[in-house]
Amino acid sequence: MTHKDTGHYAGKRRGVALNETIVAKIKEKISENRISCAEAHNIAENLKVDPAEVGTAIDLLEVRIIKCQLGLFGYGKEKNIPSLSDKINPDIESAIKSALVNDRLPCSTSWEIAGRFNVSKPMVAAACEAMKIKISPCQLGAFG
């Protein structure tokens, strides 16, 4: 969803019921009608539910997700992706290329690659940016 869609997130979730347990946890964590990606994932982990379920509830509540853990959105006008000072690690590049789905890298896979190569999640996003590869879909359903 784009900035023009701000406040209209529920539109992509028509006909889906709210999980009141998830809603209660989200309401504990929101500030100024926003919740960070990390907080949303913590809710999913603590409740032992898929992050997509938390993302659905966030959308239905018209809450904005901020501070993407990959650095892609929620930091004002800019992304929070580091610059690559060197060439992309060939092993990371290969892992990214081999994991593409419809020419995109799923968010969950980017996290797995970061863990496998012991690099930050934003560094995987930086590699994708340098390779002109989009990361999508978001585990919370924020985009793609």
Side-chain angles (χ1 to χ4, degrees):
M1 309 259 333
T2 63
H3 288 290
K4 69 180 171 60
D5 297 315
T6 298
H8 302 285
Y9 307 120
K12 65 182 176 181
R13 308 290 189 164
R14 295 189 201 289
V16 178
L18 275 171
N19 177 317
E20 293 302 329
T21 303
I22 295 172
V23 167
K25 293 296 183 186
I26 291 169
K27 287 183 176 180
E28 289 175 11
K29 298 294 182 182
I30 59 174
S31 174
E32 298 178 11
N33 208 43
R34 298 172 181 203
I35 189 168
S36 73
C37 172
E39 289 169 328
H41 278 274
N42 284 338
I43 290 169
E45 185 176 324
N46 290 337
L47 294 178
K48 299 188 183 350
V49 298
D50 191 280
E53 290 183 60
V54 176
T56 295
I58 289 168
D59 283 344
L60 291 170
L61 292 170
E62 298 290 357
V63 171
R64 185 172 184 179
I65 300 171
I66 60 170
K67 297 184 181 176
C68 165
Q69 293 181 72
L70 292 169
L72 298 176
F73 64 88
Y75 295 91
K77 294 182 181 187
E78 301 295 320
K79 293 180 180 181
N80 194 32
I81 298 173
S83 297
L84 291 177
S85 55
D86 295 322
K87 292 184 86 173
I88 301 168
N89 174 321
D91 293 331
I92 293 174
E93 182 175 5
S94 177
I96 290 169
K97 286 180 178 178
S98 68
L100 296 178
V101 177
N102 297 325
D103 297 324
R104 294 174 180 255
L105 183 68
C107 173
S108 59
T109 306
S110 69
W111 284 32
E112 185 274 321
I113 291 170
R116 185 176 353 147
F117 291 97
N118 198 31
V119 298
S120 71
K121 294 167 190 160
M123 287 304 293
V124 174
C128 287
E129 292 268 317
M131 297 165 64
K132 307 242 185 292
I133 292 172
K134 299 275 187 195
I135 297 176
S136 176
C138 167
Q139 295 175 76
L140 298 170
F143 57 86

